[in-house]
Amino acid sequence: MDDFTGPYSLDNVVDGADRMVDWARHNTSDVQFGNFKAALLFFEPSTRTMFSTEQAVLNLGMRRTIVSGSDHTSLLKGESFADTFRMYTGQGARIIALRTKIEGAPLFAAKVCQQYVNEISVINPGPVNIINCGDGRQYHPTQTVLDTLTIKRTLGRLDNFTLGIMGDLRNGRTCHSLLEAFRDRPGMKFVFVAPKGFGMPERYKHGLKDFVESESLDALADCDIVYDTRFQTERATDDEKRYIEAIRHEFVITLAVLNRWKPTVRVMHPLPRVDEIAAEVSLDPRIIAFPQAEMGIPSRMYIVTFLCQAPFRAIDLNPVQSELLVGTETKPTNPTKTPKHFQPVERGTVIDHLPAGSMEMVYRILRTLRSMPGDTPRQAVQYVKSKAHADHLKDMLLLHEYELPKFAAATIQSIFPEATINYLPGNQTILKRKYGVPVSISEHVRCSNAACITNNDREAHPNFVFLGHPGSARLVACEYCGAPLWD
Ligand code: NCD
């Protein structure tokens, strides 16, 4: 979703897609790319996205190959993703549309293909453009283009409305992309309706202000648009599947439900639907899921067009691995005064000046980094920083008999820049640790997400970067799948 920037902002792309609707009606386009090849790799099931992407490239006069399922590629024989992408690049593909359950695979593919074009390929001059057609539970940005186009044509605007998103918000990639597309627009309100355990993940809500969450469809009564989704049972455990079967009837949009909502409401759905929109309202004018799907061809036509015409935009193949800081220890100093509010540490680590309430996150970070043995004696203290500011609370963490490894200390200071970290080696000295030199923690940690490309391809190495929205605290997360470091 972050790639919709500059001249290719989502709004510009949606305007371009709107202009393609007439061309799509006539199965052609004024711009043709007859000498471009497209590889459409759908390793997960697809009906709409596969058909509309194929029709889009055909309307643009391109040559194409379609792979449906991984059973018919050498992936089945153990070929890696990296080699698969190199092969399609070497055979001249300029567009690779990719759907896979492996999260972060499109970004990895983009890097592999660019490097191959830069360094090896005899035939392909590049650039090779990767279109993410859905990566596991993460994102589905081309769906968001057609969803946004649908909203624009329905409401006549892309801000100042109430958007309800319901169903499987935990696993539904279309919901995550849609929220990214609308979260920072003026006057937006969000209502998330999902059963317990299937709500919108924290990382997508991070920093979001105007939203409510509920398990009741009645919470959607004031929405202008309700975006419904199916339960992604293929991503659920057996226990979750049983739970979904037991509660799914509570999440069905029937005529009675529709009639309790705002009369002008429009219901969207990325499809496929299972039973979450009842058959009795299939043709109700308030349900716009099928006309919405029709926007797939013009949207993908415009996406492919601008990618084929866009000037080469290089991806940084070796990004600085976040701004995590590590570095120098300042000179040992003698302890001055012992603060009154805690048991002095003889030997160990003191992490001070943490924002109040951050302790739980610090524990989680340390657990994820596997840097602190579970039996480390520890004390957490919350105190008032100064009498003058009685509401200025701080947290302090004391880890007895334990020296925090540098990469863990650096991570904490990167996330909480005001934190100070002191190591007391036990001879009445304090080693103040101030960190200043960028370093990677990636060699110490693996991504916690089993579906992440870094856990599924031997050439995809973990890399952690800062994510976050302006004005909100930063998250350290996997560059590929976005899983927070402390999940
Ligand atoms: C969705 C998908 O694959 O993410 N469908 C689509 O592309 N239109 C939704 C889903 O599978 O539930």
Side-chain angles (χ1 to χ4, degrees), residues 42 44-50 99 133-136 139-140 142-143 146-147 171-175 227-232 234-235 269-274 276 292-293 300:
F42 285 82
E44 271 193 324
S46 179
T47 301
R48 276 148 292 276
T49 308
M50 189 166 75
R99 166 170 290 192
C133 286
D135 63 327
Y139 288 124
H140 192 351
T142 68
Q143 177 71 36
L146 73 95
D147 293 343
N171 299 310
R173 53 197 173 198
T174 58
C175 314
Y227 192 94
D228 191 15
T229 56
R230 79 183 163 93
F231 290 104
Q232 308 266 309
E234 73 274 32
R235 305 187 205 283
H269 192 303
L271 302 174
R273 75 167 152 169
V274 182
E276 58 279 358
Q292 174 191 351
R300 292 178 173 112

Side-chain angles (χ1 to χ4, degrees), residues 42-44 67-77 101:
F42 285 82
F43 299 140
E44 271 193 324
V67 175
S68 177
S70 55
D71 296 4
H72 303 292
T73 68
S74 292
L75 284 167
L76 196 69
K77 301 178 187 167
K101 64 175 193 241

Side-chain angles (χ1 to χ4, degrees), residues 142-162:
T142 68
Q143 177 71 36
T144 305
V145 172
L146 73 95
D147 293 343
T148 308
L149 177 55
T150 303
I151 292 172
K152 190 181 160 200
R153 290 169 77 105
T154 304
L155 298 182
R157 64 183 189 281
L158 293 174
D159 50 26
N160 290 295
F161 71 95
T162 303

Side-chain angles (χ1 to χ4, degrees), residues 334-349:
N334 289 321
T336 43
K337 53 179 191 288
T338 311
K340 285 184 230 71
H341 38 258
F342 68 92
Q343 286 286 110
V345 173
E346 290 290 321
R347 204 166 43 222
T349 303

Side-chain angles (χ1 to χ4, degrees), residues 29-42:
S29 155
D30 53 344
V31 208
Q32 294 287 303
F33 300 99
N35 53 353
F36 273 54
K37 294 186 199 126
L40 314 179
L41 312 180
F42 285 82

Side-chain angles (χ1 to χ4, degrees), residues 40-184:
L40 314 179
L41 312 180
F42 285 82
F43 299 140
E44 271 193 324
S46 179
T47 301
R48 276 148 292 276
T49 308
M50 189 166 75
F51 184 71
S52 61
T53 307
E54 182 192 26
Q55 294 308 311
V57 300
L58 288 174
N59 287 351
L60 297 168
M62 296 172 71
R63 304 146 188 236
R64 55 87 176 83
T65 181
I66 297 193
V67 175
S68 177
S70 55
D71 296 4
H72 303 292
T73 68
S74 292
L75 284 167
L76 196 69
K77 301 178 187 167
E79 185 162 61
S80 68
F81 274 102
D83 286 354
T84 305
F85 301 136
R86 285 182 188 121
M87 278 313 305
Y88 284 108
T89 302
Q91 307 292 331
R94 298 288 293 274
I95 294 284
I96 297 179
L98 178 64
R99 166 170 290 192
T100 164
K101 64 175 193 241
I102 305 299
E103 295 163 20
L107 175 59
F108 179 61
K111 291 186 184 191
V112 167
C113 296
Q114 180 176 320
Q115 190 180 41
Y116 188 82
V117 163
N118 289 355
E119 294 173 20
I120 296 176
S121 184
V122 182
I123 286 186
N124 197 336
V128 179
N129 293 290
I130 311 296
I131 304 180
N132 179 0
C133 286
D135 63 327
R137 298 157 301 172
Q138 196 176 206
Y139 288 124
H140 192 351
T142 68
Q143 177 71 36
T144 305
V145 172
L146 73 95
D147 293 343
T148 308
L149 177 55
T150 303
I151 292 172
K152 190 181 160 200
R153 290 169 77 105
T154 304
L155 298 182
R157 64 183 189 281
L158 293 174
D159 50 26
N160 290 295
F161 71 95
T162 303
L163 174 59
I165 310 183
M166 66 173 275
D168 188 347
L169 311 190
R170 186 185 75 186
N171 299 310
R173 53 197 173 198
T174 58
C175 314
H176 306 154
S177 298
L178 189 70
L179 181 57
E180 291 279 305
F182 283 90
R183 53 169 296 145
D184 295 325

